[in-house]
Amino acid sequence: MTDNFTYHSRKNVFYVILGIVFIVFFVRLIQLQFLYSEKYGKMSAENAIRNVAVAPLRGYMYDRNGILVVDNRPAYNVTVTPVEFENKNLELLTEILKMEKEEVLERIEKGKKYNRFSPVKIKRDVDFQTLSFVEEYSGQLKGIEYQFEPKRYYPTKAHGSHLVGYIKEITESQLQKLGDFYRQGDIIGASGLEAGYEKYLRGKKGFELITVDAEGKIIGNFNDGKSDIQPVEGDDLELTLDIKVQALAESLLSDKRGAVVAIDPTDGGIIALVSKPDFNPELLSGVTPFSVWQQLNTDPAKPLFNRATLTKYPPGSTFKMLLALAALQEGIIDENWRVNCRGSFTFGNKVFKDMHVHGSTNVVEAIQRSCNVFFYQLMLKTGLPTWTKYGKQFGFGAPTGIDILEENSGLLPSEEYYNRRYGKGRWTQGYLVSLGIGQGELGVSPLQLAAYAMALANEGKYYKPHVVDKIKEKESKKIIKVEPVMRQINLKNEVWNAVREGLYRAVNVAGGTGAAARVPGINVAGKTGTAQNPHGKDHAWFIGFAPYENPKIAICVLVENVGYGGVFAAPIAGLCIEQFLYGEIIRNKLNQPKIILTKTEAEQIRD
Amino acid sequence: MQNWFSENINLGILISTLLLVLIGLGSIYSATYDAGASDFFNRQLIWAGIGLVAMLIVMFIPFRTLQLISYPLYIFSILLLIGVLIFGKTVAGSKSWFGFGSFGLQPSEFVKVTCVLALATYLSDKKINLSRFKNLLVAVSIVLIPIALIIRQPDVGTAIIYVLMLIPVLYWAGASLTLMLIIISPAAAAVAALFGITPFLIVLGTLLITFFVLKENKLISAIIFSITVLVGVSVQFIYGKLAPYQQKRIDTFLNPEADPLGSGYNVIQSKVAIGSGGVFGKGFLEGSQTQLNFIPAQWTDFIYCVPAEEFGFVGSILILILFAYILFRSINVASTAKSRFASLVTMGVVSIFSAHILINIGMVMGIMPVIGVPLPLLSYGGSFLLSSMLMVGLLLNMYINRKEY
Ligand SMILES: [Zn+2]
């Protein structure tokens, strides 16, 4: 009984509170649907308020010296608001925009699906003449407007196409996958840093509520713009790149096919990453004309292909140091172990060639002069498992983890690989001989070789290669430092010393194959290589680092289909090292003898 | 038979419920109409069928059995809630779903039902006295455990619903006004302090007047008052210490019109939808705001604008009347029920429904902040429709058993 008694008094509290709620709702309905119904009816009929996205500025990119590498420039897009578009204007519009009717209609149709009242981009980055036509016919072309959208601009001489990457309009499938942030017609990073750091670079869209009249003409911003959201600029990237080295390397490879990768051995930062032939990223910064795409995709030189990270060629003699390190570290040989080179090596019934008759050779001399016979024998002595183990330690056969997304693992063969490929017991030691000199079933990328040169330079500190050093967040004003990731390859000091000495001598002592990489006033160490190419002329390799005493740059150069590495790749490496360490090319200003090899010297170089 | 039926079946609530479900289906049909019925409509139709069967089953579960299984059910549902945090899939930034093929289940919706049952079972025990701290703590914990789990998903809207269920049920169970003041006033002060100094002072003033009217004990009054002041001041202090973007998030929450991309734009468009409906509406499938998809995902939280635009004031008020009928009629049942359990379960369901209606319709009309909470029986969403119909099933069950002790 007592319960019911209290319930009765408490019931009234609920009646009153709920009563008030429903009365407030009732009054609000009267207000909206009786008093203001005309106003809202008009707004609804005219669709008086539009929600228009405002494109943010994409983040800027700076090189290691603070030089602006990727910039933004104003550009204008022509847009159509689907609901207002009148089909009778199609003819005129296609004429002004110089587009196909089908393409215009397709774009309007796609935009309709999202929101018939939101302007959809029909053509990006129109020229001034088109813009003035749109302005001139604005009375006639209902629902057709133009809209500001920044465009990528590259202020330096370098392209950096494969490193920086390019942006493009988002595809239908990306739209479905990436959901909320993007709308049809939005720009998204498609390759390189633009893709790898899309999340940071894109910024945050702004939104404007625009009030329009019954004619669809813009009156102004709703609520005096107080309801608008300002766009937030994308985060800036500070790169480890040296844009001047990048530009130089690009120019040195300008009429060739090949790649240059230079790394800072103190932290793994990429100094330059060039793949040639390349493309002008400005052509791809938005809607790319179909003709340009077609040309890029069908060009037999494959300008879109990133040779620096995707190529899989045998590394040639640049791989000899790996075998030397493995054999020395495992105690299979010591520095005094000698081979008498007679210019060729016979194993079974097969003859393996050398370029010269080197005579009695130890490991340091074998690296200096690139003696093949020494390494044929050493490979048989060392065996495949040990060689593979060390190859893995130096990052071969696996992606390096660089932050520009696309790279190739390459191929580092192992016993397992041969068993799989030829069947267990159906391959012989003879298969391995050429691995000793970096030929045969072996594939590496210039990036992997550059990282290997880095580890030789800094005695085993294998940093993960990366291009971004710092991210400057715009909204929080924080600067995020990308901490270098390092893996130590532990070898004995004397092992490092022997191999490094070989590399020094290969460049600086007579009889070395890398003389063309010399730089005035700086000790360069390095190794040439030539990848045998069954389809044409051989590919030229060079890897090296400098200064020898305290390395600040490690480099790998690949020039395809030209011949010996010592002749074609080493000089490019020397110039890049010079540019990086001096900040300019000084060799022509000096009064000392020029480092140009004599004809006989050049003919001596056969690797 | 005729007699049994009119004696035991609360026909008014049953019919109102079915009408609301039908209006909801029609609204979803219209909002997602695209040259025919959409997947949304077809799915909701299936769920409505499942819901109807579930409602009838719950309605006839023996009264004692309900009491007996309420604790095991509660524990089971809490385990589900933990499971969803670990194994669930993320939809719209919130990890609250179990996916089975194309159908998803949201455990937090069903915990509403089990939580009401558990709380009612606990509070209906004759030995429980809310003025004893230990008993109060247990009662509050029954609700706080799911809240703590749901906030982690994170789903603030649903968490708020649980709070708005707990307070009325405690009051109904006999908590003193003093106790209610201790619970409500710091919370009110915290929210008011975020709006500014004036709303905060108004809360404090109201509190003082309440003390005066209730002739409350001076010492207790002083303690409650100081706690309230302290909470309000520290909320403002913490707000001042927050990073600008965090402050902005709170501002947007309190004043959505400043955020046209998200909720603000939706509210402006939803007001236009309701207002342009006028007295008689634009007609089924004729609402331009609805048909042109001005309001993203209108079929979930903004479903009320669909009938408001297409059937005008007539449609809008009909929905309000049906909801009001269910709520007032149920409060009446709760106040006359012989069993304390029946009374408390009924009030739990009434509170949950009221909270949903208050927040949702208030938001759609532009008089409440935007909190993502759906409208019972109308909004798209299988789990929510099913749990709403289960709760109506409870209301009908309690009606049948209103004379039991
Ligand atoms: Zn030799």
Side-chain angles (χ1 to χ4, degrees):
Chain A
M1 272 318 273
T2 49
D3 267 357
N4 283 344
F5 184 71
T6 57
Y7 287 161
H8 267 288
S9 66
R10 294 192 172 203
K11 178 176 83 174
N12 291 332
V13 174
F14 282 84
Y15 278 172
V16 169
I17 293 175
L18 273 182
I20 291 173
V21 167
F22 279 102
I23 287 167
V24 168
F25 284 171
F26 176 76
V27 170
R28 180 67 169 170
L29 278 182
I30 299 267
Q31 190 190 23
L32 290 174
Q33 296 188 310
F34 283 83
L35 305 181
Y36 296 156
S37 73
E38 206 171 316
K39 172 187 150 194
Y40 284 125
K42 208 162 153 261
M43 281 171 86
S44 159
E46 293 167 0
N47 171 44
I49 298 174
R50 303 252 174 91
N51 192 7
V52 179
V54 185
L57 282 176
R58 240 179 128 73
Y60 296 87
M61 297 187 208
Y62 299 89
D63 89 338
R64 63 165 57 212
N65 299 310
I67 298 171
L68 183 58
V69 178
V70 181
D71 193 0
N72 293 303
R73 240 186 202 183
Y76 291 89
N77 301 332
V78 173
T79 63
V80 169
T81 307
V83 74
E84 284 173 10
F85 181 71
E86 294 161 334
N87 261 327
K88 67 177 165 72
N89 286 331
L90 185 61
E91 196 89 26
L92 178 59
L93 182 66
T94 48
E95 209 168 291
I96 291 176
L97 298 179
K98 301 182 195 80
M99 283 171 79
E100 295 295 320
K101 276 183 195 166
E102 293 73 35
E103 207 188 336
V104 174
L105 285 177
E106 196 195 314
R107 290 190 153 260
I108 296 176
E109 214 44 53
K110 273 190 199 160
K112 245 185 210 170
K113 271 192 220 155
Y114 166 58
N115 187 341
R116 294 161 70 171
F117 294 86
S118 267
V120 44
K121 292 162 195 163
I122 300 298
K123 192 169 187 186
R124 274 209 148 76
D125 192 21
V126 296
D127 55 22
F128 183 73
Q129 200 193 4
T130 312
L131 215 56
S132 48
F133 274 136
V134 171
E135 185 71 12
E136 194 184 326
Y137 290 102
S138 65
Q140 196 179 333
L141 294 169
K142 212 176 159 213
I144 296 163
E145 277 137 22
Y146 55 87
Q147 188 185 64
F148 170 80
E149 184 185 60
K151 179 197 173 187
R152 276 305 203 199
Y153 171 64
Y154 307 86
T156 67
K157 270 187 267 173
H159 276 163
S161 349
H162 300 96
L163 180 79
V164 167
Y166 60 92
I167 52 179
K168 68 175 193 195
E169 201 170 286
I170 193 162
T171 62
E172 200 97 346
S173 60
Q174 279 176 315
L175 256 181
Q176 277 172 9
K177 212 163 51 192
L178 301 172
D180 284 351
F181 183 85
Y182 300 97
R183 297 279 173 258
Q184 197 228 327
D186 281 356
I187 287 289
I188 186 168
S191 76
L193 294 172
E194 296 276 18
Y197 289 85
E198 164 69 14
K199 213 170 59 166
Y200 297 98
L201 292 168
R202 69 185 183 190
K204 274 193 187 151
K205 282 185 204 170
F207 287 88
E208 280 183 354
L209 289 192
I210 307 273
T211 317
V212 295
D213 65 12
E215 299 286 293
K217 286 272 151 273
I218 293 169
I219 300 166
N221 284 26
F222 175 75
N223 199 9
D224 292 328
K226 275 180 235 154
S227 307
D228 296 348
I229 296 186
Q230 295 305 316
V232 179
E233 250 181 60
D235 302 336
D236 292 345
L237 302 182
E238 283 182 19
L239 311 180
T240 58
L241 184 71
D242 184 325
I243 197 67
K244 288 185 176 159
V245 177
Q246 175 82 15
L248 174 71
E250 285 181 15
S251 74
L252 292 171
L253 283 176
S254 60
D255 49 355
K256 302 183 175 76
R257 294 184 190 183
V260 172
V261 178
I263 306 192
D264 185 340
T266 63
D267 66 356
I270 295 285
I271 294 165
L273 190 143
V274 177
S275 169
K276 278 280 181 178
D278 60 357
F279 54 89
N280 182 352
E282 235 162 287
L283 288 178
L284 301 186
S285 76
V287 169
T288 310
F290 183 67
S291 57
V292 174
W293 261 122
Q294 202 169 28
Q295 199 210 323
L296 287 172
N297 278 310
T298 54
D299 189 334
K302 294 206 214 154
L304 290 173
F305 182 75
N306 189 347
R307 288 173 159 74
T309 59
L310 296 175
T311 290
K312 283 194 284 190
Y313 289 146
S317 306
T318 61
F319 232 49
K320 287 174 177 165
M321 288 81 81
L322 181 74
L323 179 54
L325 289 167
L328 288 167
Q329 174 72 18
E330 298 287 323
I332 294 164
I333 59 164
D334 63 12
E335 286 167 58
N336 302 317
W337 185 73
R338 286 187 171 268
V339 162
N340 191 15
C341 169
R342 297 179 190 282
S344 70
F345 174 67
T346 310
F347 186 78
N349 52 5
K350 223 181 150 199
V351 178
F352 295 89
K353 280 189 275 180
D354 203 337
M355 294 302 170
H356 296 278
V357 178
H358 294 102
S360 172
T361 307
N362 68 7
V363 64
V364 174
E365 290 159 357
I367 292 173
Q368 174 193 342
R369 297 188 186 140
S370 206
C371 175
N372 286 354
V373 171
F374 180 92
F375 286 100
Y376 291 141
Q377 296 202 17
L378 187 55
M379 185 68 201
L380 291 173
K381 209 169 157 63
T382 307
L384 185 60
T386 308
W387 180 84
T388 308
K389 183 178 113 190
Y390 280 81
K392 273 188 191 149
Q393 281 195 40
F394 280 88
F396 294 104
T400 63
I402 192 172
D403 48 353
I404 57 170
L405 301 185
E406 45 169 25
E407 65 171 318
N408 209 313
S409 303
L411 168 64
L412 179 74
S414 57
E415 283 192 318
E416 203 191 343
Y417 167 83
Y418 280 111
N419 287 339
R420 208 170 48 229
R421 175 102 201 245
Y422 300 105
K424 214 168 176 164
R426 302 187 62 179
W427 53 280
T428 63
Q429 293 290 305
Y431 282 59
L432 310 181
V433 175
S434 21
L435 291 180
I437 60 158
Q439 309 288 3
E441 283 169 274
L442 183 56
V444 304
S445 70
L447 174 65
Q448 285 174 325
L449 273 190
Y452 161 69
M454 164 182 72
L456 293 172
N458 64 25
E459 299 184 346
K461 292 182 195 63
Y462 193 98
Y463 289 101
K464 189 154 123 185
H466 61 275
V467 190
V468 174
D469 180 44
K470 289 188 189 106
I471 301 167
K472 276 199 279 186
E473 281 193 344
K474 289 286 169 60
E475 200 168 20
S476 66
K477 304 250 185 307
K478 272 191 292 200
I479 295 180
I480 305 168
K481 163 92 178 144
V482 179
E483 291 301 331
V485 180
M486 196 266 278
R487 175 168 59 81
Q488 178 71 47
I489 303 167
N490 279 315
L491 304 183
K492 287 180 262 182
N493 273 340
E494 57 266 33
V495 173
W496 289 119
N497 291 343
V499 170
R500 284 168 52 95
E501 198 195 329
L503 291 172
Y504 174 81
R505 287 163 68 156
V507 175
N508 299 292
V509 175
T513 54
R518 285 181 209 160
V519 175
I522 290 164
N523 286 328
V524 176
K527 179 78 197 77
T528 58
T530 303
Q532 287 161 7
N533 177 13
H535 311 293
K537 272 189 151 181
D538 291 345
H539 305 311
W541 284 111
F542 180 85
I543 66 165
F545 56 85
Y548 175 64
E549 302 76 15
N550 173 28
K552 293 203 161 61
I553 177 170
I555 193 165
C556 168
V557 176
L558 164 72
V559 188
E560 294 181 11
N561 307 108
V562 286
Y564 295 121
V567 179
F568 298 96
I572 294 175
L575 284 163
C576 291
I577 290 169
E578 189 172 332
Q579 171 66 46
F580 182 68
L581 294 176
Y582 286 112
E584 59 177 335
I585 298 298
I586 59 155
R587 61 182 66 183
N588 299 326
K589 296 178 186 168
L590 296 176
N591 291 327
Q592 50 179 282
K594 287 186 182 162
I595 312 169
I596 294 174
L597 304 175
T598 63
K599 208 172 170 213
T600 37
E601 264 181 309
E603 274 166 5
Q604 280 292 306
I605 297 175
R606 294 227 191 128
D607 190 29
Chain B
M1 184 64 201
Q2 181 66 34
N3 238 344
W4 178 90
F5 195 82
S6 59
E7 181 66 21
N8 286 291
I9 303 300
N10 192 331
L11 210 56
I13 289 181
L14 185 62
I15 289 173
S16 302
T17 302
L18 295 178
L19 277 176
L20 284 167
V21 171
L22 286 177
I23 293 172
L25 283 169
S27 304
I28 291 164
Y29 183 84
S30 176
T32 62
Y33 179 79
D34 182 19
S38 66
D39 271 2
F40 291 97
F41 173 76
N42 291 333
R43 275 186 204 194
Q44 188 79 349
L45 192 63
I46 293 171
W47 278 111
I50 297 172
L52 191 64
V53 174
M55 185 172 92
L56 294 175
I57 293 172
V58 167
M59 187 172 160
F60 293 110
I61 292 177
F63 195 53
R64 302 285 164 225
T65 316
L66 259 184
Q67 273 172 294
L68 277 176
I69 62 172
S70 69
Y71 286 147
L73 269 181
Y74 174 76
I75 290 165
F76 176 69
S77 64
I78 292 291
L79 291 177
L80 278 183
L81 214 45
I82 295 169
V84 89
L85 274 178
I86 304 167
F87 307 110
K89 62 177 184 179
T90 304
V91 174
S94 179
K95 204 171 184 183
S96 59
W97 290 80
F98 276 127
F100 303 105
S102 61
F103 276 87
L105 273 184
Q106 242 180 321
S108 60
E109 294 302 341
F110 299 102
V111 180
K112 279 178 192 162
V113 183
T114 60
C115 189
V116 163
L117 284 174
L119 188 62
T121 307
Y122 182 73
L123 292 176
S124 58
D125 190 328
K126 289 272 182 318
K127 287 171 289 204
I128 300 301
N129 183 349
L130 280 176
S131 54
R132 275 204 300 267
F133 182 70
K134 207 181 102 189
N135 293 160
L136 179 67
L137 190 69
V138 173
V140 170
S141 303
I142 289 175
V143 182
L144 277 186
I145 291 168
I147 288 182
L149 292 170
I150 288 163
I151 278 191
R152 310 196 74 170
Q153 288 179 352
D155 181 355
V156 177
T158 306
I160 291 174
I161 298 292
Y162 279 90
V163 176
L164 291 182
M165 181 271 280
L166 172 67
I167 292 169
V169 170
L170 285 181
Y171 179 62
W172 194 257
S176 67
L177 270 175
T178 317
L179 185 61
M180 298 319 295
L181 282 176
I182 291 173
I183 295 174
I184 297 171
S185 53
V191 175
L194 284 175
F195 277 100
I197 201 81
T198 319
F200 179 48
L201 290 177
I202 291 172
V203 168
L204 291 182
T206 316
L207 189 59
L208 282 179
I209 294 169
T210 317
F211 288 143
F212 182 76
V213 171
L214 296 178
K215 300 193 181 72
E216 194 58 75
N217 175 310
K218 283 207 181 64
L219 178 66
I220 292 171
S221 304
I223 292 171
I224 296 176
F225 190 76
S226 351
I227 291 173
T228 308
V229 171
L230 201 69
V231 167
V233 170
S234 45
V235 162
Q236 275 194 326
F237 179 75
I238 293 167
Y239 178 81
K241 290 273 174 195
L242 289 177
Y245 73 95
Q246 287 168 316
Q247 287 183 346
K248 210 179 134 220
R249 232 177 262 167
I250 294 176
D251 293 346
T252 308
F253 176 73
L254 299 174
N255 180 20
E257 309 235 341
D259 176 16
L261 160 63
S263 34
Y265 174 74
N266 296 353
V267 171
I268 292 165
Q269 293 295 1
S270 97
K271 280 197 292 191
V272 171
I274 297 173
S276 66
V279 182
F280 297 107
K282 300 172 183 172
F284 189 54
L285 298 181
E286 297 293 327
S288 55
Q289 297 284 116
T290 299
Q291 296 309 318
L292 300 175
N293 297 340
F294 268 116
I295 303 159
Q298 189 185 4
W299 45 93
T300 56
D301 295 351
F302 283 87
I303 194 73
Y304 187 68
C305 336
V306 181
E309 186 186 17
E310 300 194 335
F311 298 102
F313 181 76
V314 178
S316 322
I317 206 74
L318 174 67
I319 293 171
L320 289 186
I321 289 170
L322 291 173
F323 274 129
Y325 177 80
I326 294 175
L327 295 178
F328 281 91
R329 184 84 177 83
S330 298
I331 293 172
N332 192 41
V333 173
S335 64
T336 53
K338 295 275 190 292
S339 137
R340 208 170 141 76
F341 174 73
S343 181
L344 284 165
V345 168
T346 305
M347 285 316 287
V349 172
V350 165
S351 306
I352 288 178
F353 271 44
S354 306
H356 271 282
I357 293 164
L358 170 71
I359 295 174
N360 180 282
I361 297 185
M363 165 185 81
V364 172
M365 288 179 170
I367 49 178
M368 287 282 286
V370 174
I371 302 170
V373 154
L375 189 59
L377 306 174
L378 274 84
S379 282
Y380 175 77
S383 301
F384 182 58
L385 180 63
L386 182 53
S387 84
S388 300
M389 294 184 83
L390 285 175
M391 285 191 274
V392 175
L394 285 178
L395 289 179
L396 297 171
N397 184 310
M398 297 308 133
Y399 182 78
I400 294 174
N401 293 300
R402 69 195 183 279
K403 288 174 183 153
E404 301 273 327
Y405 278 95

